[in-house]
Every structure is written in structure tokens, then in C-alpha cells.
Amino acid sequence: MPSYKAPVEDVTFLLNDVFQIDRYNNLPGFSDASADVREAILSEAAKFSEQALQPLNRSGDLEGCTRHDDGRVTTPKGFKDAYKQFGEGGWVGLAAPVEYGGQGLPATMAQSINEFMISANMAFSMYYGLTLGAVAALNVHGTEEQKKTFIPKMLSGEWAGTMNLTEPHCGTDLGLLRTKAVKQADGSYKISGTKIFISGGDQDLTENIVHLVIARIEGAPAGVKGISLFVVPKQLINADGSLGARNGVSCGSIEHKMGIHGNSTCVMNYDGATGWLVGEENKGLNAMFVMMNEARLGVAVQGLAQSEVAYQNAAAYAKDRLQGRSLSGVKAPDKPADPIIVHPDIRRALLTIRAFNEAARALVVWTTLKSDVAHRSDNAKDRQEADDHMGLLTPVLKGVLTDVGFANSVAAQQVFGGHGYIAEWGMEQFVRDARIAMIYEGANGIQALDLVGRKLPKDGGRAAMAFFAEVTGFAKENGADEAMKPYLAPLTASLGHLQQATMWLMQNAMGKPDNAGAGSTDYMHLFGLVVMGYMWARMVKVANEKIAGGDAAPYLKTKLVTGKFFMERMLPETSAHLARLQSGSATVMELPADAF
């Protein structure tokens, strides 16, 4: 049976030492998250994820969700009690506004514990993850009445939320949507249409579900300019706040999926359901992107989280499984064979996963800190810089962390040999669960196009230039430190590759857009490697300083070795991405469609 232990030590190192979170105490909510409070939160989150959620992961996968004849959906055994505990523990509203019942703590804390929950049980975590996305959209674009009606109950865990975008004929191209909204005399709307792939579309965890639905008002312009957003509760709400009649929304069926079986992914039918406009008519995309940006960062963490739990189980297995003898001589003479951890290729696989996990975790913390600054700072310049960072790196995080997270889950499965293919070991579930993260909330090819086509040139490339300047400045500032040279030289070389790739796109994509399309995925992964290399350089600098100060924790020496592995064995891949990108689109586009 698989196991999981939350990486509390690593998160603490990042928060306290690498990013020095206490420096942000001028921002609302940060002074409430003192070192003692952070330690307590991380400890309790670890305990809940390890003891309450992880044991339900495999059983939930095997049982799945059930749709009954009356349209009700029940979740796997134990999920309802766990969600009740989750809500009562205040986990849903940890970083949410205090005025609506949240605790107002930094989003950085919430995202860190989110990794724990996802590693322990990805399917379970999706119920509250989509709820938080819906809360964010309502908080930014909803009326005061909508906020007061829906958000407190969602943050308490009594109600949940969903995001209804996709339709059977329309995925990424939302301009094709057909769901319609008809305005009523009382200002409400009647919503009719079908949505698919709706995570948590129906369930028995909460007494109500708040659906956020995009639809087209009668007479609205065609395409994306005619999209509006509506809040459509499963149960209507009476004037006194109590639950009223059932609304005209129901689960038509549950999708039969490759993984995340514990989450109810539903076909939702809206049959004249009563809904209320969120924000302005025909401006639904603005509110939708609030949800999607929240969701994309959460999905990026899913890639990291599945990689982490897969790594932990593969490393434990490698230390226990006896197979063959070491190439350099017997290591366990008292046993019939050596544990497979002695074999270089097993170590290569494990170190590759671990080096990614630790860099990706640092990247998530760094970016979520920027999110906190963007939402909480009263300094316009700081907010702009943080917004630039978020806009540029969100597609990188979503695309790279989920692509590599899946590949790492497969690599961890490989460590088990044939046992990795057998369900009871749990590895095949990690692979199946990780696969969806590359697809939903904007497939990764779309993330790459978004990065190259929109985020990179935005504001004259201001965000990218700021990133290049920051990494260059860090390298110069620490260039005289002998201990840093093995890390800074590869980082500087790879940053050069990223700058070359950026220049090539500027010179070759405007006149021939297919060059941008053909090179976008390589550019995204090149960017991901460089930014993770920067994270490793920052972690190594702190580890060296702590060691020089007398800290003898073995954890720090492990950091140095793992970081060096990343620089020597993983970061050089930037040259291959650059070469592929610079080959252009000619060969990619040459064959006629019927040749495929």
C-alpha cells in the first residue's frame, strides 16, 4: 500500500530561509502568520493529509462516485466525513477575506498546505479547489448581496462551488458556447444548456452547490464578446438565508475517467435554472479568468503533488527491494542481493524527480508570494511587478509542472518494475490521476501558446525583461563566491539560451505565426528549466550560508547535492529546446493533412 509524508521541513525552509516570509509583515494577514503559527498550521495540515485523506485515496479510486436514478451523486465512503472535518478545521477559508468568514492568512500558506492535501488525495482536494476558484470570482466581480449570500457558506465548507465552462462541442474555444440566458422581469435569468467535464458538479459532501456558469444572453454578440457569467445555486436560497426549492439544474451522468475517480466529474443539464448575473453583461470572460487563474495555479500544484507522492513511494521501494549487485562491488553482503538504490540508473531516476520537486515547490512558493503582493499591497509599483510575474509565470507553472509531474509519476512507477503496474502498490493510480492535470484548465499546448503569443509580448515584454534582469543580477551579485560557481555557470548559460529563444521568436514569429506555434512548447519548457534553475541557485545560496554559520543539518548537504544534480543533469536540456525552437515551423507544417 502506498504511503505519504508531507514535506513540512522543505516548506519551512522555503518560507523561513529562502523567501523570508516575515519580510512581508507589512501586508495584511502576514503578521498573523508568525513562525509559531506557520509551524502549527503546517503540522496540522500534514496530520490531516496523512491521517484523514491519504487512507481514502485508493479506496476512493476503487469505489468512485455513483449517480442515482433521481440524479443525486454520492461520493466514496469516508469523503463526506473528511470534508466535514476539513470545513470545520477552517482549511477552506484559510486565506480568504475575514469579512466573509475566512482567516485572512497569506495565500502562500494556503497553497503550501494545498500541496499536502493533493498528494494525499487529489480527487478529494478538487472539491474545495474549485470552491475557492468560485469564491475568488464572486469576491472580485459579485455584488455585495451575492458575496454575503454565497461566500461565507462556501468558506465554512457547508456549500461548495463549481466552474461550468465546457460544452460537448466547445472546449478551449468558448466563443462557440450555446448555453443561453433569458432575462426575467425580476432581474434574474433562466439558464438552459448542457455543460460537460464539471468537477464536483454534484456530490453529497455539502448541502448546496454554487455553480458559476458562462452563458449567452439572448441577443448578445457572437463569439467571446457575448459571454456572461451567472451564479446558479443547486438549491435556491430563501430571503432568510435558508435553503429553498431545488433549482432547474441536475447531473445527467458521471464521466467515466482514466483517473481521479473519487471526484464526481459530471454532465450538467440546465433546464430553465434560475441564475443571477455576476459582473456586467457580456463581460463574463473577465470574471471567468479570475477563476481560471486561481485554478491554473492549483493545477500546477497537482503536477508537483503527484510527483512528490510518487517519488516518496519509489524511494522507499528502492531502499527495500533487493535485486542484483552493485556495479562497484557488493553493498549488502548479508543479503542475497543489494537494494536497487545502489544502481546508478535508479538513483538517476529518483534524483531527477526529487530535483524537480524541490525546485517546483520553491517556484510555487515564490509565485504565490507574488500573488499575495498583487492582492494585498498598497504600493502600486509592487502590485504591478507582482501582476507581471503572475501573468508571465502562470502558463509556465501550469504547463511545465503538470507535464513533468506526469512524466515523473511514470518514472517513479518504473522504479517498481512489474509491481508498478499492479494496482495494490498505488503507483498506477498516481500515473492515472496525474494525467488529467496536463489537460484541464487549458491544455498545455494552449498554455504554451498563451505564453508565447500573449504573455511574452505584453507591455512590450516588460515581465520577461524584469525576469531576465533579476536572474542576471543574482548571478553577478554572487559570482565571486567560489561555492556558487558550479551553480551559477550553468544557470547563466541556460538564461542565455532563453534570451536567444526570446529574440528568435521576436524576429521570426511576427511575419510567420506558425514559428511561434511550432516552438511554443519548447519555449515554455526552456523557460521552466531556467526559472527552476534560478530557484535552485537561491536555495543553494541559503544552504551554503547556513552551513557556514555552523548549521550541520544533513538536510542542507542534501540540498547542495540535489541542486548540483539539477545543474549538471537537467538544466543542460535548455540547449536542446533552443535548437528545436530555432528549427522553425517548415517541417512541422510541410505535410498535407491527409498524410497523417
Side-chain angles (χ1 to χ4, degrees), residues 209-473:
I209 303 174
V210 180
H211 301 291
L212 289 189
V213 185
I214 58 169
R216 197 181 305 280
I217 298 172
E218 281 189 319
V224 295
K225 293 181 179 180
I227 292 175
S228 298
L229 182 70
F230 300 88
V231 57
V232 186
K234 174 182 175 180
Q235 300 285 143
L236 295 171
I237 296 129
N238 297 321
D240 63 358
S242 62
L243 294 181
R246 177 71 185 261
N247 206 353
V249 53
S250 62
C251 170
S253 64
I254 295 178
E255 306 283 7
H256 298 281
K257 311 185 298 291
M258 176 178 174
I260 52 170
H261 295 151
N263 190 270
S264 55
T265 307
C266 301
V267 174
M268 300 300 296
N269 296 321
Y270 291 84
D271 186 13
T274 301
W276 290 268
L277 184 69
V278 177
E280 300 178 46
E281 287 189 7
N282 306 326
K283 301 290 186 183
L285 278 183
N286 294 335
M288 184 200 73
F289 276 117
V290 173
M291 279 191 289
M292 292 199 72
N293 285 334
E294 292 277 331
R296 283 172 177 171
L297 185 53
V299 172
V301 177
Q302 289 180 344
L304 162 62
Q306 292 303 105
S307 180
E308 173 65 29
V309 69
Y311 165 79
Q312 288 188 18
N313 284 274
Y317 183 83
K319 287 183 276 189
D320 185 64
R321 172 70 168 173
L322 302 180
Q323 198 79 33
R325 290 295 189 185
S326 168
L327 297 174
S328 58
V330 173
K331 297 296 187 289
D334 58 327
K335 296 177 180 177
D338 289 331
I340 62 173
I341 191 71
V342 306
H343 301 309
D345 195 59
I346 295 293
R347 286 171 167 257
R348 175 201 56 79
L350 293 175
L351 273 168
T352 299
I353 304 171
R354 178 170 181 153
F356 164 83
N357 291 350
E358 294 183 14
R361 184 172 299 116
L363 180 53
V364 167
V365 171
W366 186 40
T367 302
T368 315
L369 272 171
K370 297 289 187 181
S371 176
D372 275 319
V373 172
H375 290 103
R376 301 180 188 222
S377 177
D378 57 7
N379 184 296
K381 182 175 182 291
D382 290 346
R383 288 199 308 273
Q384 178 196 287
E385 291 175 352
D387 272 329
D388 285 352
H389 175 105
M390 291 289 292
L392 180 68
L393 285 184
T394 293
V396 176
L397 277 154
K398 197 281 182 181
V400 174
L401 267 60
T402 60
D403 272 356
V404 182
F406 173 72
N408 285 349
S409 298
V410 173
Q413 182 188 36
Q414 185 76 10
V415 170
F416 281 71
H419 293 291
Y421 202 65
I422 304 302
E424 68 186 84
W425 289 91
M427 303 306 289
E428 57 86 32
Q429 183 188 345
F430 300 147
V431 171
R432 288 186 290 105
D433 287 354
R435 186 62 184 87
I436 184 57
M438 301 163 69
I439 299 173
Y440 58 19
E441 302 307 336
N444 286 354
I446 299 297
Q447 302 300 324
L449 285 173
D450 180 45
L451 173 65
V452 169
R454 294 177 58 197
K455 302 303 174 58
L456 192 59
K458 188 175 184 290
D459 300 311
R462 185 176 68 202
M465 294 305 108
F467 173 74
F468 297 160
E470 179 170 347
V471 179
T472 300

Side-chain angles (χ1 to χ4, degrees), residues 23-261:
R23 293 187 300 135
Y24 296 83
N25 278 352
N26 61 309
L27 300 180
F30 274 74
S31 60
D32 296 325
S34 64
D36 288 346
V37 170
R38 294 196 298 269
E39 182 181 357
I41 289 173
L42 292 173
S43 175
E44 286 303 311
K47 187 184 304 181
F48 184 81
S49 62
E50 293 163 7
Q51 298 178 9
L53 298 187
Q54 194 276 334
L56 297 175
N57 194 38
R58 183 161 186 260
S59 61
D61 180 66
L62 292 172
E63 182 181 345
C65 297
T66 303
R67 180 189 178 277
H68 302 275
D69 291 340
D70 59 1
R72 290 181 305 110
V73 172
T74 52
T75 53
K77 182 179 179 180
F79 272 46
K80 187 172 184 178
D81 287 342
Y83 200 84
K84 186 171 185 292
Q85 294 176 48
F86 190 77
E88 291 174 347
W91 297 113
V92 183
L94 190 72
V98 174
E99 58 265 36
Y100 301 117
Q103 298 180 53
L105 294 174
T108 308
M109 289 299 303
Q111 202 62 268
S112 293
I113 68 163
N114 191 35
E115 183 200 331
F116 300 174
M117 306 295 176
I118 297 170
S119 283
N121 195 321
M122 180 167 157
F124 176 93
S125 73
M126 293 172 64
Y127 291 109
Y128 73 80
L130 271 297
T131 297
L132 290 173
V135 165
L138 288 171
N139 190 43
V140 175
H141 292 280
T143 64
E144 279 304 314
E145 182 181 1
Q146 288 171 348
K147 294 177 188 179
K148 292 175 181 176
T149 299
F150 297 110
I151 293 179
K153 292 283 191 180
M154 295 165 80
L155 295 180
S156 70
E158 296 170 81
W159 298 356
T162 70
M163 180 165 59
N164 287 239
L165 279 64
T166 308
E167 299 183 5
H169 60 284
C170 137
T172 300
D173 190 353
L174 295 172
L176 299 175
L177 73 86
R178 296 173 184 160
T179 299
K180 66 179 181 178
V182 180
K183 193 167 187 176
Q184 305 299 297
D186 64 357
S188 67
Y189 291 77
K190 291 297 183 183
I191 312 295
S192 299
T194 297
K195 299 290 185 177
I196 62 171
F197 305 157
I198 308 306
S199 300
D202 199 80
Q203 36 79 1
D204 60 347
L205 308 179
T206 61
E207 60 185 19
N208 202 7
I209 303 174
V210 180
H211 301 291
L212 289 189
V213 185
I214 58 169
R216 197 181 305 280
I217 298 172
E218 281 189 319
V224 295
K225 293 181 179 180
I227 292 175
S228 298
L229 182 70
F230 300 88
V231 57
V232 186
K234 174 182 175 180
Q235 300 285 143
L236 295 171
I237 296 129
N238 297 321
D240 63 358
S242 62
L243 294 181
R246 177 71 185 261
N247 206 353
V249 53
S250 62
C251 170
S253 64
I254 295 178
E255 306 283 7
H256 298 281
K257 311 185 298 291
M258 176 178 174
I260 52 170
H261 295 151

Side-chain angles (χ1 to χ4, degrees), residues 400 403 444-449 451-452 516-527 577 581:
V400 174
D403 272 356
N444 286 354
I446 299 297
Q447 302 300 324
L449 285 173
L451 173 65
V452 169
S520 58
T521 291
D522 277 298
Y523 186 83
M524 179 179 72
H525 278 278
L526 200 170
F527 208 125
H577 288 300
L581 181 146

